[in-house]
Amino acid sequence: MEVINRYITIKNHIDAVPQHSDFELRSSSLSLSLDPASDEVIVKNLYVSIDPYQLNRMKSYSSSQKSSEFAVAITPGEDIDAYGVGKVVASENPNFGKGDIVAGLLKWGEFTVVKPGGMLNKLDPMGFPLSYHVGILGFSGLTAYAGFFEICKPKKGEKVFVSAALGSVGNLVGQFAKVLGCYVVGCTGSKEKVALLKEKLGFDDAFNYREEPDLESTLQRYFPEGIDIYFDNVGGDMQEAAVSNMNINGRIAVCGVISEYTDREKRAAPSMIDVIYKRIKIQGFLAGDYLNLFGDFLSTTCDHLRTEKIQPLEDISDGVESIPSALVNLFRGQNIGKKIVRIAEE
Amino acid sequence: MEVINRYITIKNHIDAVPQHSDFELRSSSLSLSLDPASDEVIVKNLYVSIDPYQLNRMKSYSSSQKSSEFAVAITPGEDIDAYGVGKVVASENPNFGKGDIVAGLLKWGEFTVVKPGGMLNKLDPMGFPLSYHVGILGFSGLTAYAGFFEICKPKKGEKVFVSAALGSVGNLVGQFAKVLGCYVVGCTGSKEKVALLKEKLGFDDAFNYREEPDLESTLQRYFPEGIDIYFDNVGGDMQEAAVSNMNINGRIAVCGVISEYTDREKRAAPSMIDVIYKRIKIQGFLAGDYLNLFGDFLSTTCDHLRTEKIQPLEDISDGVESIPSALVNLFRGQNIGKKIVRIAEE
């Protein structure tokens, strides 16, 4: 049996803010009859994750390509892998059977042919919607959990600042911090988002960075006692301002640097004198290094979801053709929470 | 009994490269008869330490003044404290007696009146010259030891890069790294210093940064397999180039940022994308946080000195009046190893 597989590619490398015209929807026919010796699995993709880091892989330059499987460069014209959830429609791999719900590295397309060794696991939805397993219970969640608890080693009562606080990772970091008993302030890009942070997600305070001409004094205003932990999703000026306002033994988890993704000149130049005298730690990390925590993360987060101590925040678009605008809008700050594309109904 | 105490002050705040004319030699009379209730100690200073961080304290602005006793702002006209070794000439403190050799926070002058609570300890020279206890066996040594072993957590065979490698801390970091079995490259500011690093101190390689127009490719040349540890004494461009050449899980101990001390605009803007993908840690530190390691540090370093596994490297000037040029020349790269001023013969 053959199906038509529609998928997204880039037409060219993208070295600036991504535009809709950088992308293309292609299609090819795909046979669902696998070679019995192939060990392959064909997954019908249901939900795929849309993340800012994908833009790094689309650049013509990258000093980081070889450092992680999530950083492998994307070649124009080729399909693009992304974390997602799907259903097995054909399998010659003894670990997977037709109808299995799976999570792993799928494609920005309607189907994924997973080769032996590909990242794929059977998924137990545990009573939650499948989309949760792409975001809050997937890699975004693990990123927030590992970055906050392992890198920042937070203590109750500490002052926590989160940038891109309504993003897939930021909103969770803030919520984890609140559950722990920290004071949490988030920054985001609109009045409506500020309200969401405070009213829906329970942040102690929040501000719209677009209305703040001097971020250093803004942070001084929101943190009169200084910042203990900065969970950095944006880099640039905001990181500089955070370092200026940091307390002794402050910790910065560098999770993302949206400012650098679209403009490599927009780098943070934090005061290293502050870094020394305040013994600040600036630490980059990738969630993939913390798979050993996945079990802990999952049970903790499921508990918090069931007791409604944390709220899921999803922003779902429909159809493979909506992937380009989903990514483009991420860099325009138009997502609210975890951006996911639903490729097909379950 | 009264003595004349000559001491150094600054005439004004110093916000740029320090000049000889920024300093002044003053004198005042000092009574060696203490009030029996004062608990004070008068020390005749023998050796005092000259360190780049002092310049930070001389600035008109400082965001870090309150973060450490070593960062307290210096007021023009007042005496300046500095680590040193001396001999007690009067004491109303029961812990100290006349003739005791002591180490602690003294003054850039001929005498120090140490108030109760001041940092002062009796010193056992353990057969080494007193000057060693100002540098290699004092705070410079502890800075190198704590920064390298505690912050960088080095492993045998790792690739270590040290900037300002002939400085008081840098030369020791390189020597500690060699003893551990690391591959060590240092950078410094002249051909003669490069030769010293390689021939006298046993660095695997060294280069003169003044001859290198493109530091990123320089470091690529010296570290074809990448840098695991960067011990940063300079900040600025060099830190950026090191981040570019860093391996996964690379560690940067930020010990000093000479480039920022004299020009706050000359900040490093390392690629945070590299920091993330390579999981780089950038950590500031102060030796004062590691006094608990002083015993370990001292016994290890004394052993290495006795077995000649490490070489002391001292640059000693004579007389309180030589302090200003000692500091000024530090920022011109004219010191070779630990800069010390001998105030008086023992």
Side-chain angles (χ1 to χ4, degrees):
Chain A
M1 187 194 157
E2 292 229 327
V3 292
I4 297 297
N5 178 31
R6 295 187 303 155
Y7 60 97
I8 298 296
T9 69
I10 50 171
K11 287 193 232 170
N12 41 262
H13 287 294
I14 307 173
D15 290 324
V17 178
Q19 307 295 330
H20 203 278
S21 58
D22 292 319
F23 298 89
E24 193 173 16
L25 180 69
R26 291 197 179 184
S27 61
S28 60
S29 65
L30 176 69
S31 165
L32 299 187
S33 317
L34 290 169
D35 174 354
S38 71
D39 224 30
E40 290 176 346
V41 179
I42 299 180
V43 176
K44 185 183 176 196
N45 305 331
L46 299 174
Y47 293 93
V48 295
S49 183
I50 309 293
D51 300 285
Y53 80 85
Q54 296 278 19
L55 186 63
N56 289 325
R57 308 174 57 204
M58 298 172 182
K59 288 176 181 161
S60 54
Y61 58 86
S62 171
S63 60
S64 316
Q65 289 178 14
K66 283 167 285 182
S67 53
S68 161
E69 62 185 306
F70 288 99
V72 178
I74 293 168
T75 306
E78 293 193 358
D79 53 15
I80 295 167
D81 47 31
Y83 195 74
V85 167
K87 186 183 253 174
V88 173
V89 290
S91 174
E92 293 297 341
N93 180 321
N95 299 320
F96 299 96
K98 207 170 157 177
D100 283 352
I101 296 294
V102 289
L105 210 51
L106 305 181
K107 298 286 180 184
W108 274 358
E110 295 180 302
F111 293 90
T112 307
V113 180
V114 182
K115 311 251 175 227
M119 181 194 187
L120 196 70
N121 294 293
K122 274 196 217 182
L123 179 70
D124 172 4
M126 298 178 295
F128 294 106
L130 288 185
S131 59
Y132 283 25
H133 295 277
V134 176
I136 192 167
L137 299 176
F139 258 74
S140 305
L142 180 63
T143 303
Y145 187 86
F148 185 57
F149 291 105
E150 291 295 303
I151 305 292
C152 301
K153 308 240 182 268
K155 288 186 284 288
K156 187 178 170 174
E158 285 196 310
K159 313 287 182 286
V160 176
F161 175 50
V162 186
S163 55
L166 260 189
S168 59
V169 175
N171 87 81
L172 268 173
V173 169
Q175 294 192 77
F176 283 136
K178 282 309 303 170
V179 172
L180 182 66
C182 296
Y183 177 81
V184 183
V185 178
C187 81
T188 185
S190 76
K191 200 175 290 189
E192 295 69 30
K193 288 179 169 184
V194 166
L196 256 177
L197 285 172
K198 295 203 280 191
E199 288 152 28
K200 180 165 176 175
L201 301 187
F203 280 52
D204 294 288
D205 218 331
F207 65 88
N208 176 0
Y209 71 90
R210 294 181 209 265
E211 288 175 355
E212 302 291 340
D214 175 359
L215 294 171
E216 195 170 324
S217 64
T218 302
L219 289 180
Q220 209 159 14
R221 210 164 70 235
Y222 283 95
F223 292 95
E225 295 170 44
I227 300 168
D228 298 304
I229 289 171
Y230 172 41
F231 197 96
D232 188 0
N233 289 305
V234 303
D237 294 354
M238 195 66 86
Q239 191 190 91
E240 293 176 21
V243 165
S244 292
N245 282 282
M246 211 111 209
N247 289 329
I248 288 177
N249 296 322
R251 291 136 272 162
I252 299 181
V254 190
C255 176
V257 281
I258 289 188
S259 60
E260 267 187 57
Y261 293 170
T262 53
D263 180 356
R264 70 189 305 204
E265 301 307 319
K266 257 185 149 176
R267 286 183 180 171
S271 161
M272 285 291 146
I273 294 183
D274 277 346
V275 168
I276 294 173
Y277 282 108
K278 301 197 282 193
R279 301 79 144 173
I280 293 171
K281 177 175 85 165
I282 301 174
Q283 169 91 59
F285 74 101
L286 293 177
D289 292 342
Y290 297 93
L291 292 176
N292 60 313
L293 298 179
F294 203 87
D296 287 348
F297 148 69
L298 206 57
S299 68
T300 303
T301 311
C302 287
D303 284 352
H304 291 336
L305 279 169
R306 288 190 188 105
T307 56
E308 295 184 1
K309 280 188 188 162
I310 67 176
Q311 308 295 327
L313 200 65
E314 297 183 314
D315 185 336
I316 301 182
S317 330
D318 276 293
V320 64
E321 61 279 3
S322 76
I323 289 175
S325 57
L327 186 74
V328 165
N329 287 340
L330 216 56
F331 288 92
R332 294 178 180 164
Q334 291 179 2
N335 59 307
I336 291 195
K338 176 64 191 178
K339 187 70 208 173
I340 294 168
V341 170
R342 176 166 37 217
I343 305 287
E345 298 289 338
E346 292 165 37
Chain B
M1 186 194 156
E2 291 228 328
V3 292
I4 297 296
N5 178 31
R6 296 186 302 153
Y7 60 96
I8 297 296
T9 69
I10 51 171
K11 288 192 233 170
N12 42 262
H13 287 294
I14 307 174
D15 290 325
V17 179
Q19 307 294 330
H20 202 276
S21 57
D22 293 320
F23 299 88
E24 194 173 15
L25 181 69
R26 291 198 178 184
S27 60
S28 61
S29 65
L30 177 69
S31 165
L32 298 187
S33 315
L34 290 168
D35 174 355
S38 71
D39 224 28
E40 290 176 345
V41 179
I42 300 182
V43 177
K44 183 180 178 203
N45 305 331
L46 300 174
Y47 294 92
V48 296
S49 183
I50 309 293
D51 300 284
Y53 80 84
Q54 296 279 19
L55 186 62
N56 289 326
R57 307 175 58 205
M58 298 172 182
K59 288 176 182 162
S60 55
Y61 57 86
S62 171
S63 59
S64 315
Q65 289 177 16
K66 283 167 284 185
S67 53
S68 162
E69 61 184 308
F70 289 98
V72 178
I74 294 168
T75 306
E78 294 194 356
D79 54 12
I80 296 168
D81 48 29
Y83 195 74
V85 168
K87 186 183 256 175
V88 173
V89 290
S91 173
E92 293 297 341
N93 180 321
N95 299 319
F96 300 96
K98 207 171 154 175
D100 283 351
I101 297 293
V102 290
L105 212 51
L106 305 180
K107 298 284 181 187
W108 274 357
E110 294 179 303
F111 293 90
T112 307
V113 181
V114 182
K115 311 250 175 230
M119 182 193 186
L120 195 71
N121 294 293
K122 276 198 216 179
L123 179 70
D124 172 4
M126 297 178 295
F128 294 107
L130 289 184
S131 60
Y132 282 25
H133 294 277
V134 177
I136 191 165
L137 299 176
F139 258 73
S140 305
L142 180 63
T143 303
Y145 187 86
F148 185 58
F149 291 106
E150 290 296 302
I151 305 291
C152 301
K153 306 240 182 269
K155 289 186 285 289
K156 187 177 168 176
E158 285 196 310
K159 314 285 182 286
V160 176
F161 175 50
V162 186
S163 55
L166 260 190
S168 60
V169 175
N171 88 80
L172 267 173
V173 170
Q175 293 192 76
F176 282 137
K178 282 309 302 172
V179 172
L180 181 66
C182 295
Y183 177 81
V184 183
V185 177
C187 81
T188 185
S190 76
K191 201 176 289 186
E192 294 68 31
K193 288 178 168 185
V194 166
L196 256 176
L197 285 172
K198 295 202 282 188
E199 286 153 28
K200 181 166 176 177
L201 301 187
F203 278 53
D204 293 288
D205 218 329
F207 64 89
N208 175 0
Y209 71 89
R210 294 181 208 266
E211 288 175 354
E212 302 290 340
D214 175 0
L215 294 171
E216 194 170 325
S217 65
T218 302
L219 289 180
Q220 208 160 15
R221 212 165 67 234
Y222 283 94
F223 292 95
E225 294 169 44
I227 299 168
D228 298 304
I229 289 171
Y230 172 41
F231 197 96
D232 189 0
N233 290 304
V234 302
D237 295 353
M238 194 68 85
Q239 190 191 90
E240 294 176 20
V243 165
S244 293
N245 282 282
M246 212 110 205
N247 289 330
I248 288 176
N249 297 321
R251 291 136 272 159
I252 299 181
V254 191
C255 177
V257 281
I258 289 188
S259 59
E260 267 186 57
Y261 293 169
T262 53
D263 180 355
R264 71 190 304 207
E265 302 306 318
K266 255 184 150 176
R267 286 184 179 171
S271 162
M272 285 291 148
I273 294 183
D274 276 346
V275 167
I276 295 173
Y277 282 108
K278 299 196 284 194
R279 300 83 144 171
I280 293 170
K281 178 176 84 165
I282 301 175
Q283 170 90 63
F285 73 101
L286 292 177
D289 293 340
Y290 298 93
L291 292 175
N292 61 313
L293 297 180
F294 203 87
D296 286 348
F297 148 68
L298 207 57
S299 69
T300 303
T301 311
C302 287
D303 284 351
H304 290 336
L305 280 169
R306 289 191 187 105
T307 56
E308 296 185 0
K309 279 187 187 163
I310 67 176
Q311 309 294 326
L313 200 65
E314 297 182 314
D315 185 335
I316 302 182
S317 330
D318 277 293
V320 65
E321 60 280 2
S322 75
I323 289 175
S325 55
L327 186 74
V328 165
N329 287 339
L330 217 54
F331 289 93
R332 294 177 179 165
Q334 289 178 5
N335 61 308
I336 291 195
K338 176 65 191 175
K339 186 71 209 173
I340 294 167
V341 170
R342 178 167 35 218
I343 306 286
E345 296 291 334
E346 292 164 38

